[in-house]
């Protein structure tokens, strides 16, 4: 390989690395929580919203759970008032699996956006997400899926 080609490829690599790390960092924020499924109720520990990083406690805004009984994952958001909302991560426009980012659900297929409670913020979707009833106690969140 000629020196000029080597330097050119090295330049491309140097330009691509920051972009690749940005993309990977976005995926790292998605956390799949552990849960127990019993008779149509998914039980998630509230501790799943807490992360210890570098000796500091960090609170997550959301977690994702994937039940074998459902085709799509469920996103659970924690509100500032320490309430919880849960929605099926399936776009109501064409059925694509949604992403979570910036405190909202967004559709990678056609750009629909939904707020934390699953309400449509931006189309083309016209229907809100399927949401689930939630109850809580001191230690757990109960997502009622049936």
């Amino acid at each position: 390989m000629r020196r000029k080609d080597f330097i050119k490829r090295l330049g491309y690599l140097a330009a691509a690395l920051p972009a690749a790390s940005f993309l990977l960092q976005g995926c790292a924020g998605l956390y799949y929580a552990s849960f127990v499924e019993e008779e149509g109720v998914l039980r998630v520990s509230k501790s799943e919203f807490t992360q210890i990083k570098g000796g500091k406690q960090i609170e997550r805004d959301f977690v994702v759970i994937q039940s074998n009984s459902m085709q799509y994952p469920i996103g659970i958001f924690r509100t500032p008032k320490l309430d919880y909302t849960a929605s099926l991560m399936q776009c109501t426009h064409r059925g694509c699996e949604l992403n979570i980012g910036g405190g909202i659900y967004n559709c990678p297929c056609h750009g629909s956006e939904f707020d934390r409670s699953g309400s449509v913020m931006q189309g083309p979707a016209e229907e809100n997400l399927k949401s689930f009833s939630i109850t809580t106690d001191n230690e757990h969140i109960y997502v009622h899926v049936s």
Side-chain angles (χ1 to χ4, degrees), residues 7 9 13 23 31 34 41 43-44 46 50 54 74-75 94 105 107 110 113-114 117 122 125 132-133 137 145:
I7 292 172
R9 288 186 183 181
L13 179 62
L23 291 173
Y31 175 75
S34 298
V41 177
R43 185 181 71 217
V44 181
K46 288 182 177 180
T50 304
I74 296 172
R94 298 274 186 204
Y105 298 98
C107 180
H110 302 107
E113 293 181 347
F114 305 86
S117 65
Q122 175 179 311
F132 301 98
S133 169
D137 61 24
V145 294

Side-chain angles (χ1 to χ4, degrees), residues 59-128:
E59 299 296 323
R60 294 184 174 96
D61 291 332
F62 67 90
V63 298
V64 176
I65 55 177
Q66 177 69 60
S67 169
N68 290 334
S69 64
M70 303 188 90
Q71 183 178 356
Y72 294 89
I74 296 172
I76 304 174
F77 273 100
R78 183 176 56 197
T79 68
K81 296 179 182 179
L82 298 180
D83 293 326
Y84 299 89
T85 63
S87 298
L88 189 65
M89 293 174 60
Q90 178 186 18
C91 185
T92 56
H93 175 239
R94 298 274 186 204
C96 293
E97 186 171 321
L98 299 173
N99 296 324
I100 296 179
I104 63 171
Y105 298 98
N106 54 65
C107 180
C109 298
H110 302 107
S112 293
E113 293 181 347
F114 305 86
D115 67 14
R116 292 172 181 235
S117 65
S119 298
V120 175
M121 295 171 49
Q122 175 179 311
E126 295 178 356
E127 293 180 40
N128 295 337

Side-chain angles (χ1 to χ4, degrees), residues 6-20:
F6 174 76
I7 292 172
K8 187 176 180 182
R9 288 186 183 181
L10 190 60
Y12 289 141
L13 179 62
L17 281 177

Side-chain angles (χ1 to χ4, degrees), residues 25 33 82 87 134 144:
Q25 182 180 18
L82 298 180
S87 298
I134 287 192
H144 302 269

